[in-house]
Amino acid sequence: MSQALPPRRHYRPKPHETQATQLPFVRYLPQRGQPHHWQMPPADDYVDACAYGRECAAHLAQYLKDNLERHNRGLLGKIAYDIDFRDPHHARGYWVGFFNYAEQLMVLGALRCDVFQHVDSVHALQRALIAKTELEGKTPGRNS
C-alpha cells in the first residue's frame, strides 16, 4: 500500500475533546462554520482508497465505542452529506471502503441481538419520551 493510513488511536474523551473533529477525516475548513465530515487525502489508486476508507470506518466505530454518549447525533448522516459521490474513480474507493466496512460492523452488531425486538424497544422509548415531554407541557424537540 503506497498510501499511509491514519494512525490508530482510542477516542476516550479528554475534558475539552468531545467533537468528531478528532476523527482523521473530519476537519474545519475556513469557508465553513462547521466541520466538514469527509476530508480525504488525494487518492493514489482505488485499492488504496478502499483501504483508507475501511480504516476511517474503523476510526468512526472506535470513536462511537469510546464516546457512548455521542451516538444518536446524526454523525453518519453528516458524513454521508459531505461526501461528493460524483468524485473521480480513485476517490470513490474511499466511500466504497468506508460503507462496506460499516456494513460489516453492522452485521457484527446485529448478530448480537434480535434487531426487531431492539427497534421495538427504541420505538417504545421514543413514545415514552414524547409522552413525558407533553405531560411536562413542553414541545417535543428534534432530539426527543
Side-chain angles (χ1 to χ4, degrees):
M1 170 174 289
S2 59
Q3 186 167 349
L5 298 176
R8 292 179 179 175
R9 60 170 284 189
H10 284 279
Y11 291 93
R12 292 184 186 91
K14 295 181 176 97
H16 64 283
E17 277 189 338
T18 56
Q19 295 212 9
T21 52
Q22 300 172 72
L23 293 165
F25 53 92
V26 179
R27 289 187 192 65
Y28 277 102
L29 299 178
Q31 65 272 27
R32 267 176 81 142
Q34 58 190 357
H36 191 282
H37 292 83
W38 197 252
Q39 288 294 295
M40 296 295 179
D44 294 331
D45 64 36
Y46 182 79
V47 173
D48 285 352
C50 285
Y52 196 94
R54 284 190 299 273
E55 195 75 17
C56 288
H59 278 265
L60 174 62
Q62 187 66 49
Y63 172 82
L64 293 171
K65 182 178 167 182
D66 288 345
N67 297 276
L68 295 174
E69 73 285 353
R70 301 292 299 170
H71 81 288
N72 273 351
R73 303 239 176 131
L75 184 54
L76 192 56
K78 291 174 185 176
I79 292 167
Y81 182 82
D82 284 340
I83 294 173
D84 181 359
F85 290 100
R86 298 164 300 174
D87 241 2
H89 173 73
H90 296 308
R92 179 178 180 267
Y94 287 126
W95 60 263
V96 168
F98 181 88
F99 286 114
N100 284 347
Y101 189 65
E103 283 182 20
Q104 289 178 31
L105 293 174
M106 288 173 66
V107 168
L108 290 173
L111 289 171
R112 300 187 61 142
C113 71
D114 178 329
V115 293
F116 293 116
Q117 182 180 3
H118 183 269
V119 77
D120 285 344
S121 70
V122 172
H123 293 323
L125 176 61
Q126 187 70 29
R127 287 190 299 272
L129 289 172
I130 291 170
K132 175 184 177 283
T133 301
E134 290 170 350
L135 286 170
E136 292 173 349
K138 299 176 184 173
T139 304
R142 281 182 22 201
N143 293 331
S144 30

